[in-house]
Amino acid sequence: MRKLLPNILQKERRRSGKKITVEVHWGPVKFSMPNGEVEVDLEWESPTDARPTEGRISRIHQHFTLPQAGPELGAAFFLILQHETEIRAHYAYEQDLRKGGWNRELAQRILACKDDPTRRAGSSVQGYIDCVEELQHCHGIAGD
């Protein structure tokens, strides 16, 4: 996330019952809405003591139209993609990934994380895929 959102600002947060200053990474992200394209400053915060393996994207519901829901669609994935210098946000549905609605290689990698038998039941699918450096990580923040 630090590569995608390279700017840093300091924010006060509560950790272990005390107020501390944490680094928040942010950067501009484009998203297609029904009425056109928007650009927002997306913020990512490193894990907390309560959730040591989960970074957090703040105010996601304020910035982006929520995806449709329904058992026929499967899980909805929030993707942040970089193409050259532009960062874009997308939602991808499990059904679309499984049926070829996305790039096959990308879909296979995302679904491998979701279908991983070692993933803790009920936990979110979280990770990254770096197609340039050929790196991938699921279920945590190694190399975040």
Side-chain angles (χ1 to χ4, degrees), residues 11-16 18-22 49:
K11 289 200 173 182
E12 204 170 84
R13 295 287 187 255
R14 189 168 295 279
R15 301 288 189 264
S16 300
K18 299 175 186 168
K19 284 188 177 182
I20 65 166
T21 301
V22 298
D49 298 335

Side-chain angles (χ1 to χ4, degrees), residues 23-58:
E23 284 187 350
V24 174
H25 292 264
W26 69 274
V29 175
K30 294 181 179 178
F31 184 71
S32 294
M33 303 278 277
N35 59 343
E37 186 170 274
V38 297
E39 184 173 289
V40 299
D41 287 335
L42 195 64
E43 295 181 358
W44 178 82
E45 296 185 31
S46 58
T48 64
D49 298 335
R51 296 179 182 255
T53 63
E54 295 179 18
R56 179 174 93 91
I57 298 173
S58 59

Side-chain angles (χ1 to χ4, degrees), residues 49-69:
D49 298 335
R51 296 179 182 255
T53 63
E54 295 179 18
R56 179 174 93 91
I57 298 173
S58 59
R59 299 189 323 268
I60 216 168
H61 297 83
Q62 290 175 347
H63 295 313
F64 306 103
T65 304
L66 293 177
Q68 297 175 14

Side-chain angles (χ1 to χ4, degrees), residues 47-97:
T48 64
D49 298 335
R51 296 179 182 255
T53 63
E54 295 179 18
R56 179 174 93 91
I57 298 173
S58 59
R59 299 189 323 268
I60 216 168
H61 297 83
Q62 290 175 347
H63 295 313
F64 306 103
T65 304
L66 293 177
Q68 297 175 14
E72 71 282 359
L73 298 172
F77 297 90
F78 180 72
L79 307 177
I80 303 170
L81 307 173
Q82 179 177 3
H83 178 69
E84 296 177 5
T85 60
E86 182 176 81
I87 309 295
R88 298 195 62 83
H90 299 273
Y91 283 110
Y93 294 100
E94 181 178 357
Q95 167 191 293
D96 294 335
L97 293 171

